Amino acid sequence: MKNVFVIAMESEADAVLRHLSDVLRFEECGRTVYQGLLNGEQTAVVICGIGKVNAAAGTQYAIDHFSPERIVNLGVAGGLDASMSVGQVYSISKCFQCDFDLSLINHTPKGTVNEYDSPFFELEAYIQNSCPISELSPNSCSALAQLPPNLPTAIVSTGDSFVNGDPDRDFVYGEMGAWLRDMELAAIAHVCKRAGVRCCALKSVSDVHFPDRPPPTEQYAVNLKKAVDALSSFVLVFCADFMIKYSCIFNHKHRGELSDSSRA
């Protein structure tokens, strides 16, 4: 499969499920899995559950069972900057675990897991397609016409707690530059990196952590549906764009190889 989605909650997964056709639903290894067609392509959605352990286990399950080219994580997240608004969608450029710390024994920056020397996991950020129109099929051209502008990018801080305040704001927002908080993405990205599988994520703001706003728990309860609806509006064109882009890259590479062989 090209894309397999690993998503914490069924409510978040609705952003994808509403676009699936020929859907098969089943339970395996204690989690709900959906298979179906998205933009005519076979895909699967694994509902992994909340938190880093669930996310890591769900991601490894998805890789083992579906051999995807890419793992996609969609979900809602808490915003850390006052300029952010509910329902704003971000493409995630990198993420880290804010509650992982081996600095006392490894002398590495907080958030750095034992086998690496940087706390950040790099992700594929969404950039609107730039392939020449001549490279695209008619169906791809149709999809290209529907693409949204480039999404803003952001860094995600992942931790195993839903926080109402910002006890570590100076570290997460000030030092690490994270604009969003979630509870799964860095674990998903960690497993993908170990397995050599591409990873990307879209996050929609459900609550904003700032002194002049209501508590994030109140915002989350009120805004969850709005945030998921905003994500859903990007699903089809987001996946279509990546399919077009990587098809375009393959076509360029393949044609170059043919040219090289014809000269030999």
Side-chain angles (χ1 to χ4, degrees):
M1 289 183 182
K2 289 184 177 178
N3 295 292
V4 171
F5 295 84
V6 177
I7 300 175
M9 302 183 297
E10 192 100 20
S11 56
E12 294 173 307
D14 182 61
V16 181
L17 297 177
R18 66 182 72 174
H19 298 294
L20 287 189
S21 59
D22 299 335
V23 179
L24 171 67
R25 180 187 184 277
F26 58 94
E27 303 286 329
E28 190 169 21
C29 298
R31 56 182 54 85
T32 302
V33 183
Y34 296 87
Q35 284 185 250
L37 296 176
L38 179 67
N39 272 349
E41 296 278 350
Q42 278 287 341
T43 193
V45 180
V46 177
I47 311 298
C48 66
I50 296 172
K52 293 192 295 182
V53 172
N54 277 328
T59 303
Q60 192 63 58
Y61 168 87
I63 292 170
D64 290 343
H65 285 257
F66 299 112
S67 300
E69 295 179 17
R70 187 173 59 136
I71 292 291
V72 183
N73 173 243
L74 302 182
V76 300
L80 298 174
D81 189 88
S83 67
M84 303 177 96
S85 57
V86 170
Q88 189 170 8
V89 177
Y90 289 84
S91 175
I92 307 309
S93 58
K94 52 188 177 180
C95 57
F96 65 94
Q97 298 183 58
C98 63
D99 53 1
F100 190 96
D101 189 0
L102 290 177
S103 59
L104 290 179
I105 57 173
N106 282 357
H107 309 293
T108 50
K110 183 179 177 181
T112 307
V113 297
N114 193 51
E115 59 268 34
Y116 303 118
D117 56 11
S118 168
F120 292 109
F121 294 101
E122 304 284 341
L123 282 74
E124 293 180 350
Y126 172 93
I127 300 173
Q128 192 182 53
N129 190 280
S130 58
C131 291
I133 293 296
S134 60
E135 300 294 330
L136 306 179
S137 69
N139 287 342
S140 295
C141 286
S142 175
L144 183 64
Q146 303 175 53
L147 293 177
N150 290 346
L151 290 173
T153 59
I155 298 171
V156 164
S157 168
T158 298
D160 267 328
S161 60
F162 190 108
V163 295
N164 247 351
D166 286 307
D168 57 353
R169 183 181 181 84
D170 288 345
F171 168 68
V172 169
Y173 178 76
E175 184 177 336
M176 303 297 281
W179 275 38
L180 293 166
R181 282 186 182 271
D182 88 331
M183 296 179 66
E184 294 82 30
L185 180 55
I188 292 170
H190 187 182
V191 173
C192 286
K193 183 170 183 175
R194 292 291 295 266
V197 175
R198 303 201 322 260
C199 182
C200 69
L202 292 182
K203 294 292 182 180
S204 179
V205 178
S206 58
D207 48 276
V208 179
H209 299 218
F210 216 72
D212 65 346
R213 308 289 180 96
T217 46
E218 293 181 16
Q219 296 181 57
Y220 172 84
V222 171
N223 297 325
L224 177 60
K225 184 180 184 305
K226 179 179 179 179
V228 170
D229 287 345
L231 273 177
S232 183
S233 66
F234 283 93
V235 167
L236 290 178
V237 289
F238 174 71
C239 290
D241 185 48
F242 266 102
M243 291 174 188
I244 294 167
K245 186 183 303 179
Y246 285 100
S247 173
C248 184
I249 290 170
F250 173 80
N251 288 341
H252 277 295
K253 180 177 183 294
H254 184 58
R255 191 167 54 251
E257 290 171 349
L258 289 176
S259 298
D260 290 343
S261 63
S262 65
R263 289 195 296 269

